[in-house]
């Protein structure tokens, strides 16, 4: 079926004028660069947490992982590769750059001495062993 629309020249003219004067055309829109975003997955296996974080475009030297008890903080910096030259005009950029930080708390404290980290193809893989639970100590009352 075809749609039937009513022709209203006055409203169409007003709409075109408002769109032309009050709304900037999309081709000239300049956006501020958005900081990159880390996507994280957490799993639990064999007494350890397995964390996978997607951090594309980052060198492994620019990634920091810190652990404080059960809190894990990942931070990475995506650096801008190059600036536009004087005779060059950038038409469109979707690549994000800047510093990204992600913190989360796991249900159990971690053993910082046994943490393993691997970074390959833009994916950071962490193996975070759980800290052994301290045995309860029975106190005798005298």
């Amino acid at each position: 079926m075809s749609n039937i629309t009513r022709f209203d020249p006055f409203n169409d003219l007003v709409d075109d004028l408002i769109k032309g004067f009050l709304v900037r055309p999309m081709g000239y829109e300049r956006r501020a660069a958005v900081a990159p975003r880390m996507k994280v997955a957490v799993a639990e296996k064999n007494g350890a947490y397995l964390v996978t974080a997607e951090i594309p475009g980052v060198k492994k030297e620019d990634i920091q992982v810190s652990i404080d008890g059960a809190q894990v903080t990942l931070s990475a910096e995506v650096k801008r590769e190059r600036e536009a030259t004087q005779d060059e005009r950038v038409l469109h950029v979707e690549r994000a750059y800047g510093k990204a930080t992600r913190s989360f708390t796991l249900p159990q404290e971690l053993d910082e001495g046994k943490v393993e980290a691997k970074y390959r193809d833009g994916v950071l893989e962490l193996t975070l062993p759980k800290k052994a639970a301290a045995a309860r100590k029975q106190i005798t009352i005298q």
Side-chain angles (χ1 to χ4, degrees):
M1 290 250 165
S2 65
N3 291 333
I4 299 175
T5 57
R6 174 182 272 168
F7 176 68
D8 189 357
F10 181 71
N11 279 339
D12 290 344
L13 178 64
V14 171
D15 285 345
D16 288 344
L17 285 173
I18 289 173
K19 286 179 187 172
F21 288 112
L22 301 178
V23 180
R24 285 190 292 181
M26 287 186 66
Y28 298 109
E29 181 179 327
R30 290 196 174 225
R31 288 189 198 172
V34 178
R37 186 162 157 71
M38 277 186 238
K39 296 178 183 171
V40 177
V42 181
E44 186 175 8
K45 181 179 179 183
N46 297 332
Y49 296 106
L50 305 174
V51 177
T52 305
E54 293 179 8
I55 317 172
V58 177
K59 296 177 185 171
K60 72 177 180 179
E61 297 83 29
D62 296 330
I63 300 172
Q64 293 84 34
V65 178
S66 62
I67 298 171
D68 184 17
Q71 183 173 0
V72 179
T73 302
L74 307 175
S75 61
E77 185 168 3
V78 179
K79 296 180 180 171
R80 190 174 205 168
E81 291 181 9
R82 65 183 192 93
E83 296 289 327
T85 59
Q86 276 187 334
D87 60 337
E88 179 181 38
R89 185 175 73 137
V90 177
L91 300 176
H92 183 74
V93 175
E94 290 184 358
R95 297 194 65 195
Y97 59 92
K99 188 163 185 157
T101 303
R102 188 78 189 262
S103 292
F104 50 91
T105 303
L106 296 170
Q108 193 172 341
E109 285 195 23
L110 306 171
D111 189 354
E112 295 95 354
K114 297 180 182 177
V115 171
E116 295 178 17
K118 297 176 188 171
Y119 182 70
R120 187 183 49 182
D121 298 330
V123 177
L124 176 67
E125 294 177 356
L126 298 173
T127 303
L128 307 170
K130 297 177 186 177
K131 191 176 268 189
R136 292 187 179 217
K137 184 177 178 182
Q138 184 67 33
I139 300 173
T140 55
I141 302 173
Q142 298 179 10

